[in-house]
């Protein structure tokens, strides 16, 4: 396959196998200390070879991959997936969306009745039960 070599720069390899969207993001991650090869923080020009373990902290999670093929040209996703063995922990579960009260645009402020129904929807206690600050009469 064209672009296949024995070794490549780590930032180029990370971008080529689609672990990051752009090469500049990959090199910034290296400079920021978010990339480790075999447990050592590396610079963007570090050479990566078959069998190396690459750890990348990106977008809130850590990717752990073992290099199975070295490439320097960006390839399609199916080919890229064959270039490494993914040993990453599963991503954290997505948080469920919270129900939000929706009002028609331009409807103005909610009435007292609408405000109470919104409070019930959100599980807030009624106004009478809420703690109010004592007035300084």
């Amino acid at each position: 396959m064209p672009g296949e070599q024995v070794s490549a720069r780590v930032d180029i390899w990370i971008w080529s196998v689609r672990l990051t969207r752009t090469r500049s993001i990959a090199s910034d991650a290296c400079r920021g200390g978010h990339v480790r090869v075999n447990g050592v923080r590396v610079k963007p020009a570090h050479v990566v070879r078959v069998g190396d373990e690459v750890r990348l902290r990106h977008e809130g999670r850590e990717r752990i991959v073992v290099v199975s093929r070295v490439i320097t040209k960006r390839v399609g996703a199916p080919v890229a997936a064959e270039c490494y063995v993914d040993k990453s922990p599963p991503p954290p579960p997505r948080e469920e969306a919270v129900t939000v009260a929706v009002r028609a645009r331009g409807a103005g402020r909610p009435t007292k009745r609408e405000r109470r129904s919104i409070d019930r929807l959100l599980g807030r206690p009624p106004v009478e039960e809420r703690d109010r600050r004592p007035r300084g009469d």
Side-chain angles (χ1 to χ4, degrees), residues 95-103 117-124:
E95 296 177 10
E96 292 183 19
V98 178
T99 306
V100 179
V102 180
R103 288 185 45 81
S117 67
I118 291 170
D119 287 344
R120 276 194 303 276
L121 176 69
L122 295 176
R124 295 179 186 154

Side-chain angles (χ1 to χ4, degrees), residues 66-110:
V66 177
V67 180
S68 60
R69 187 163 76 189
V70 178
I71 58 174
T72 57
K73 301 287 183 189
R74 191 163 170 97
V75 293
V79 177
E82 297 172 0
C83 296
Y84 61 87
V85 178
D86 196 355
K87 296 189 174 191
S88 306
R94 290 185 163 208
E95 296 177 10
E96 292 183 19
V98 178
T99 306
V100 179
V102 180
R103 288 185 45 81
R105 188 175 179 100
R109 292 180 52 178

Side-chain angles (χ1 to χ4, degrees), residues 28-98:
D28 288 345
C30 292
R31 280 191 220 99
H34 300 293
V35 176
R36 293 176 180 261
V37 176
N38 298 325
V40 179
R41 286 184 178 171
V42 295
K43 294 182 179 179
H46 184 83
V47 175
V48 68
R49 294 183 176 85
V50 174
D52 286 348
E53 179 188 75
V54 178
R55 290 176 176 252
L56 168 69
R57 264 193 340 231
H58 181 62
E59 296 180 347
R61 67 180 284 217
E62 185 173 30
R63 300 289 306 267
I64 304 168
V65 296
V66 177
V67 180
S68 60
R69 187 163 76 189
V70 178
I71 58 174
T72 57
K73 301 287 183 189
R74 191 163 170 97
V75 293
V79 177
E82 297 172 0
C83 296
Y84 61 87
V85 178
D86 196 355
K87 296 189 174 191
S88 306
R94 290 185 163 208
E95 296 177 10
E96 292 183 19
V98 178

